[in-house]
Amino acid sequence: MTSAIAIAHPNIALIKYWGNRDDLLRLPSNGSISMNLDGLFARTQVAFDPAFTQDSLSLNGREETGKALARMTGFLDLVRRLSNTDIYAQVISENNFPTAAGLASSAAAFAALSLAATHALGLDIGERDLSCLARRGSGSACRSIPGGFVEWLPGNDDQSSYAVSIAPPEHWDLVDCITIVESLPKNTGSTEGHRLAGTSPLQTARVADAPRRLDICRQAIINRDFEALAAITELDSTLMHAVMMTSSPPLFYWHTSSLALMKEIPDWREHGLPVCYTLDAGPNVHVLCQGTAANQVKGRLEQFPGVEQVLPARPGGPAQLVENLISTL
Ligand code: PMV
């Protein structure tokens, strides 16, 4: 038996990925930028053993079958092909953050799985190839491979679509106050959502304007310019949701308290608080602020009607093998 354990953080997109040019390869319609979320992680253990008669997956202590297992097996087939083997694997994965956070937990899970599975099979592939591989599991997973503030270069084929770090975690003390407004069952998942993006007449315009937004966001991060980051992050989030709401069938992810927060937060900013919002494919609101304002922002959010919980997360590092992590402690 050969095995390895890796951890990876989820990430929050500041410039969003929504829609693919190629659904199978998960080649995105546009580039995206995100921040890894420290403190939150998926921890994934992979063991390959010739004695196994099939792949198995335990997710947060529950044995998975059906869709989740099939998706993981399809992904492991890619890894097996890379190392010319047909040995089955046992995968045990746990998130240390509540499922209710509505975070794209698949990003952290597939990033950790990519690293642990390749390492367990003795494949020593670099960050770029690992990011390409993680992308095949879940697009945004490619952004959880490098550390800190990350840009996914859309590319035009399997090898040219990967993510790179544009600044390390310590570059900028930003905090994502993940604001949970609803712990209801999941909405339409992102894999299905990406397929619908092209049915919105707004998607072409959103994609065409993406290079401009990416430039503004990248520069705002490099210059630690919060005002510029706030404006482009909020615009980009609303553009993605406009596409979602106008696709066929339409996808409405906002709840009344999400919208109330979206109206409130720019007001706080106008009154001097360095704070802005962004929403992924769910009702919870990611409230980004400068570290100096984090306590005040968290306090205000906890008082806000409809808010159930606030989880603060600073910029996080890259996906790592647990053995490396222990040796650097
Ligand atoms: O990687 P996926 O298929 O889970 O898609 C992620 C989609 C969003 O979270 C809505 C946006 C993004 O860029 O993370």
Side-chain angles (χ1 to χ4, degrees):
M1 181 196 289
T2 52
S3 69
I5 305 175
I7 66 151
H9 302 293
N11 64 72
I12 179 64
L14 308 171
I15 301 297
K16 309 289 189 187
Y17 150 53
W18 196 247
N20 288 318
R21 278 187 300 130
D22 183 322
D23 283 321
L24 184 71
L25 292 177
R26 296 185 195 266
L27 297 179
S29 303
N30 60 277
S32 52
I33 292 181
S34 59
M35 177 181 113
N36 283 352
L37 299 174
D38 196 31
L40 314 179
F41 57 84
R43 180 186 187 279
T44 303
Q45 176 172 357
V46 183
F48 287 92
D49 192 325
F52 294 152
T53 53
Q54 58 181 36
D55 291 326
S56 66
L57 170 63
S58 156
L59 211 53
N60 296 318
R62 223 188 69 180
E63 210 52 38
E64 296 286 343
T65 52
K67 263 189 172 175
L69 178 63
R71 184 171 174 183
M72 187 204 65
T73 290
F75 179 78
L76 285 179
D77 286 342
L78 298 174
V79 185
R80 281 187 277 255
R81 212 168 299 149
L82 282 178
S83 87
N84 245 323
T85 182
D86 54 7
I87 307 176
Y88 291 113
Q90 176 194 56
V91 177
I92 301 171
S93 192
E94 270 161 27
N95 299 328
N96 77 336
F97 51 93
T99 323
L103 286 161
S105 51
S106 58
F110 278 104
L113 178 62
S114 306
L115 182 55
T118 50
H119 194 72
L121 287 177
L123 288 165
D124 188 17
I125 65 175
E127 183 183 275
R128 174 177 167 166
D129 289 342
L130 201 57
S131 178
C132 286
L133 178 64
R135 190 200 75 234
R136 300 289 301 274
S138 170
S140 58
C142 75
R143 297 190 312 236
S144 283
I145 296 290
F149 299 86
V150 173
E151 178 163 3
W152 176 3
L153 311 169
N156 44 37
D157 60 16
D158 191 24
Q159 271 90 50
S160 58
S161 187
Y162 59 95
V164 293
S165 178
I166 52 178
E170 59 280 7
H171 169 73
W172 197 3
D173 183 25
L174 286 187
V175 180
D176 177 5
C177 292
I178 305 161
T179 304
I180 297 161
V181 296
E182 191 79 40
S183 2
L184 287 177
K186 222 178 140 35
N187 299 282
T188 305
S190 47
T191 299
E192 176 56 19
H194 291 299
R195 294 208 175 96
L196 301 178
T199 65
S200 164
L202 304 183
Q203 171 74 343
T204 311
R206 192 192 74 87
V207 169
D209 182 58
R212 184 187 72 89
R213 298 193 305 281
L214 287 161
D215 284 347
I216 293 173
C217 183
R218 195 185 311 109
Q219 278 313 313
I221 291 169
I222 290 166
N223 300 330
R224 299 187 198 88
D225 179 345
F226 192 86
E227 275 300 313
L229 185 81
I232 204 67
T233 298
E234 290 181 357
L235 171 68
D236 192 85
S237 172
T238 309
L239 277 171
M240 178 181 73
H241 284 270
V243 167
M244 291 163 158
M245 290 187 280
T246 52
S247 66
S248 319
L251 303 172
F252 285 87
Y253 287 106
W254 296 342
H255 284 239
T256 44
S257 25
S258 326
L259 189 57
L261 279 163
M262 290 165 64
K263 295 180 110 177
E264 183 77 9
I265 288 163
D267 210 44
W268 294 355
R269 190 161 70 247
E270 265 164 42
H271 288 89
L273 260 190
V275 63
C276 68
Y277 66 80
T278 184
L279 287 89
D280 276 347
N284 297 322
V285 185
H286 292 258
V287 183
L288 291 155
C289 65
Q290 291 198 326
T292 46
N295 284 341
Q296 198 184 347
V297 168
K298 183 169 180 282
R300 283 198 192 189
L301 290 169
E302 281 166 346
Q303 300 303 313
F304 201 82
V307 168
E308 290 178 0
Q309 200 187 346
V310 181
L311 296 168
R314 293 190 135 80
Q320 288 189 68
L321 289 165
V322 167
E323 63 189 53
N324 290 354
L325 210 77
I326 291 166
S327 64
T328 55
L329 284 179

